[in-house]
């Protein structure tokens, strides 16, 4: 395999622009938004990102996107998550979990109707796969979709749905033929204001607290036939391939969170004096920083390798799973060590590392737990 | 309206560190940015473009790496970019720099020239005003606000203790303060346009030889001679005392005595 991962000047300018935006607009209120546990200010930031061309970053310009590649998307994700993983989460759901399946599996009409406004940043996307009894085992879906005339009638409960209530466009999975198991799942595009599409309980969380996740109760939701995504029975494949790509976004998130915590701890260690010298001059701290830095660089490279393979139309499912698992485990480890380096100060909400540590935990769980990633990776190497 | 904005690529002085042994700047690994005053001036030009329609050209003199700064300006919305780059221009002081930029400006259509007040790596504040002198243009420096009125502009010129509101006939030159405007972000779409649709034109000595006096450019054309450069001795970190004035005075006197500054 020829691996010629290159950063172009264009990548560098995009990274510079995102960093500039993040430093000026995202960083100042990140702690406050976390405390507020309210999605509204994060939603405002997403709108601003739309104006900069970020909400359709890796999609073609003729569909309202910015025409960038997965490398640019990964770099942007790292910069955003370095400062605010809540914003990063909402962004990744929009781009990867909602934007991608509609664009990849959608008809030309569906692309024009849904992808274009999403990529222009006029509409926000969400993804409804998880159910109370169908988490990692997404084939155990209990939601149903029955074709009646020109409409499918959807019933059932979805949970942990990020961006819900705010998002305009939802990719929702339901069983069209229970007898076929996972081959009986289909995907639908559901608009927010469809009658019977009810947003109920809002979850209270440990981390990513300025995102919103709700339960969606579907009661006889009438979805026009033309909103079937792909063909009947393709839902499971759509969900799995969507998550393959989404993992690049979450890997970038893990690397970004880790990088943010590491940089903060590094600066703190250089300034904090104990026993007459900066604690960074103690080998025990210096070695911690060396480990953190090395793992972050490895996580970034795995992430960029998966992005590069996707850009080059090569199989990337295993790479994305490895990147996701390694980068998010790194996020958990590095943020925990960052809190440790800050000591008692790190445990206080005065410093951002405790927030980053709380935010890191979910990255090991969502878009496929890291145990599921091992299933994906081992399944491929033992094939 | 044709607006030319002169920009300089400078090291981000927030990130620059000094070599404690030699006292010189460590430039390796320091990110380069568009000089903040210049970027503010560029934003002012782009605002006029949004409001009234204008053609905005960015002009810079520097090494080939300055391409990145000009692309950034294009990705913010400038229409055209020109980089004056030639070994013959190297080592220039403010006089040689302004002579070179003025020579280029004689070949560009303009109604308004905007430069930054001063660059964060040199702090001279001379190049903008010198360009105006070379070109025989009216100039207003230290501008914080700008609006167009017919064939004139109304500018707010800032002093330490107040300001002047001045009406100036176009064409003219102004030097912009950082406070004049908050620069917009690049957009992803314009980044791609900056690299794929637009170009940064490179002008060498040959391109301006009929409008420049060659004895006024580069190191040889620079009357400024740096005799020596030095850094002030490193100070230890200060200490903050949150006390009332009486207590503060006592501490200050104690410290001055301790260091034998008073006795």
């Amino acid at each position: 395999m020829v691996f010629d991962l290159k950063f172009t000047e264009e990548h560098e300018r995009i990274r510079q622009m995102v960093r500039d935006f993040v430093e000026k607009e995202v960083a100042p209120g990140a702690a406050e938004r976390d405390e507020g546990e309210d999605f509204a200010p994060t939603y405002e930031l997403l709108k601003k990102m739309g104006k900069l061309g970020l909400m359709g970053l890796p999609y073609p310009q003729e569909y309202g996107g910015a025409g960038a590649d997965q490398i640019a998307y990964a770099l942007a994700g790292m910069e955003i998550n370095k400062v605010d993983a809540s914003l990063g989460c909402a962004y990744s759901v929009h781009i990867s979990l909602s934007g991608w399946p509609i664009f990849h599996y959608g008809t030309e009409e569906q692309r024009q109707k849904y992808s274009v406004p999403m990529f222009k940043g006029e509409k926000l996307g969400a993804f409804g796969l998880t159910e109370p009894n169908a988490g990692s085992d997404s084939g155990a879906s209990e939601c149903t979709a029955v074709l009646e005339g020109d409409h499918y009638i959807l019933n059932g409960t979805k949970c942990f749905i990020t961006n819900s209530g705010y998002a305009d466009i939802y990719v929702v999975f339901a069983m069209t033929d229970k007898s076929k198991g996972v081959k009986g799942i289909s995907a639908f595009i559901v608009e927010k204001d469809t009658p019977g599409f009810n947003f109920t309980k809002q979850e209270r969380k440990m981390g990513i607290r300025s995102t919103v996740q709700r339960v969606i109760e579907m009661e006889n939701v009438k979805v026009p036939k033309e909103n079937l995504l792909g063909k009947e029975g393709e839902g499971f494949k759509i969900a799995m391939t969507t998550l393959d790509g989404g993992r690049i976004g979450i890997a970038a998130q893990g690397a970004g969170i880790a990088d943010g915590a590491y940089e903060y701890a590094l600066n703190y260690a250089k300034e904090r004096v104990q026993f007459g010298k900066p604690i960074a001059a103690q080998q025990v701290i210096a070695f911690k920083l060396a480990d953190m830095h090395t793992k972050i660089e490895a996580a970034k490279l795995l992430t960029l390798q998966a992005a590069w393979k996707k850009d080059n139309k090569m199989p990337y499912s295993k790479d994305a799973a490895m990147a996701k698992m390694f980068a998010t485990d790194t996020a958990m480890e590095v943020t925990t060590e960052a809190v440790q380096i800050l000591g008692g100060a790190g445990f206080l909400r005065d410093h951002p590392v405790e927030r980053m540590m709380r935010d890191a935990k979910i990255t090991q769980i969502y878009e496929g737990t890291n145990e599921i990633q091992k299933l994906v990776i081992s399944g491929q190497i033992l094939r | 309206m044709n607006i030319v904005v002169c920009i300089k690529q400078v090291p981000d002085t927030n990130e620059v560190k000094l070599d404690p042994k030699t006292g010189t700047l460590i430039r390796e690994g320091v990110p380069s940015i568009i000089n903040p005053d210049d970027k503010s001036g560029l934003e002012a030009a782009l605002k006029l473009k949004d409001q009234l329609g204008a053609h905005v050209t960015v002009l810079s003199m520097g090494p080939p790496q300055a391409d990145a700064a000009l692309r950034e300006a294009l990705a913010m919305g400038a229409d055209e970019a020109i980089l004056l780059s030639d070994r013959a221009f190297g080592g220039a002081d403010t006089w040689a720099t302004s002579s070179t930029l003025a020579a280029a400006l004689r070949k560009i259509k303009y109604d308004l020239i905007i430069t930054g007040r001063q660059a964060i790596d040199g702090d001279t504040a001379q190049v903008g005003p010198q360009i105006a002198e070379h070109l025989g243009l009216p100039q207003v420096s230290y501008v914080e606000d700008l609006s167009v009125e017919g064939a004139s502009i109304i500018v707010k010129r800032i002093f330490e203790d107040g300001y002047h509101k001045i009406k100036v006939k176009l064409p003219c030159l102004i030097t912009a303060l950082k406070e004049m405007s908050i620069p917009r972000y690049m957009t992803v779409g314009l980044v791609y346009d900056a690299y794929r649709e637009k170009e940064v034109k490179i002008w060498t000595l040959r391109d301006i030889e009929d409008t420049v006096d060659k004895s006024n450019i580069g190191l040889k054309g620079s009357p400024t001679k740096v005799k020596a450069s030095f850094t002030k001795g490193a100070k230890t970190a200060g200490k903050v005392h949150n006390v009332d004035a009486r207590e503060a005075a006592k501490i200050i006197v104690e410290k001055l005595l301790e260091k034998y500054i008073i006795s």
Side-chain angles (χ1 to χ4, degrees), chain B residues 91-96 215 217-229:
Chain B
D93 68 357
T94 61
W95 172 259
S215 64
I217 62 165
L219 187 62
K220 282 184 191 154
S222 296
T224 314
K225 302 282 176 247
V226 178
K227 200 172 162 197
S229 68

Side-chain angles (χ1 to χ4, degrees), chain A residues 5 7 14-16 18-19 22-23 26 49 54 57 70-89 91-92 247-261 263 295-308 323-324 327 356:
Chain A
L5 173 66
F7 291 144
I14 292 170
R15 196 197 55 74
Q16 180 189 346
V18 177
R19 178 172 291 186
V22 162
E23 278 175 5
V26 182
M49 286 164 64
L54 291 170
L57 186 62
Q70 290 291 317
I71 303 265
Y73 172 50
L75 293 172
M78 288 174 197
E79 292 296 334
I80 293 165
N81 284 287
K82 211 171 149 178
V83 167
D84 184 355
S86 285
L87 181 63
C89 166
Y91 179 60
S92 183
R247 282 168 194 148
I248 296 174
I250 303 306
Q253 178 170 46
I257 295 172
D259 213 11
E263 271 190 17
K295 283 182 183 162
I296 292 166
E297 290 297 300
K300 285 182 180 172
L301 281 171
L302 272 178
T303 305
L304 292 169
Q305 173 172 280
W308 177 84
K324 193 271 183 187
M356 292 167 171

Side-chain angles (χ1 to χ4, degrees), chain A residues 137-352:
Chain A
D137 184 8
S138 49
S141 171
E142 290 167 356
C143 289
T144 56
V146 178
L147 183 63
E148 281 182 15
D150 291 341
H151 289 80
Y152 284 94
I153 310 297
L154 271 62
N155 277 288
T157 303
K158 294 287 172 185
C159 61
F160 302 158
I161 308 307
T162 296
N163 293 347
S164 54
Y166 282 86
D168 307 280
I169 297 157
Y170 299 75
V171 176
V172 175
F173 298 84
M175 284 279 184
T176 39
D177 187 349
K178 268 196 175 168
S179 66
K180 290 186 181 162
V182 295
K183 296 234 164 104
I185 300 177
S186 302
F188 301 90
I189 305 170
V190 182
E191 294 184 28
K192 180 185 167 189
D193 295 322
T194 313
F197 199 63
N198 301 319
F199 305 104
T200 57
K201 185 186 172 216
Q202 183 171 343
E203 306 297 348
R204 300 182 66 239
K205 309 176 300 281
M206 169 185 179
I208 54 164
R209 296 199 303 190
S210 46
T211 59
V212 62
Q213 285 78 18
R214 287 176 186 271
V215 171
I216 300 179
E217 305 273 6
M218 298 189 288
E219 282 176 71
N220 297 320
V221 179
K222 262 178 97 177
V223 178
K225 215 167 113 184
E226 60 267 24
N227 278 24
L228 174 71
L229 189 57
K231 297 193 187 88
E232 261 194 31
E234 277 193 334
F236 191 72
K237 184 181 90 182
I238 293 173
M240 292 305 112
T241 50
T242 299
L243 289 171
D244 277 344
R247 282 168 194 148
I248 296 174
I250 303 306
Q253 178 170 46
I257 295 172
D259 213 11
Y262 159 76
E263 271 190 17
Y264 197 88
L266 176 71
N267 288 328
Y268 185 88
K270 287 198 275 194
E271 282 168 15
R272 168 73 172 167
V273 174
Q274 287 288 275
F275 303 106
K277 57 184 175 183
I279 59 170
Q282 304 284 3
Q283 199 175 60
V284 69
I285 300 295
F287 279 18
K288 266 191 208 296
L289 291 166
D291 282 340
M292 290 157 83
H293 183 62
T294 305
K295 283 182 183 162
I296 292 166
E297 290 297 300
K300 285 182 180 172
L301 281 171
L302 272 178
T303 305
L304 292 169
Q305 173 172 280
W308 177 84
K309 284 196 177 178
K310 190 174 181 193
D311 283 334
N312 286 279
K313 315 263 180 279
M314 296 161 80
Y316 66 92
S317 169
K318 184 190 70 173
D319 302 86
M322 293 194 301
K324 193 271 183 187
M325 177 176 78
F326 186 80
T328 60
D329 284 348
T330 297
M332 196 67 247
E333 187 183 333
V334 166
T335 53
T336 307
E337 286 291 60
V339 169
Q340 191 70 18
I341 289 171
L342 266 74
F347 196 67
L348 302 181
R349 294 192 200 170
D350 299 353
H351 298 276

Side-chain angles (χ1 to χ4, degrees), chain B residues 52 58 63 125-126 143 148 167 170 174 185 198 203 226 262:
Chain B
L52 312 165
V58 278
Q126 292 169 358
V143 172
V148 176
K167 188 173 179 180
L170 296 170
I174 63 166
Y185 301 106
K198 294 176 182 170
W203 284 8
V226 178
I262 56 174

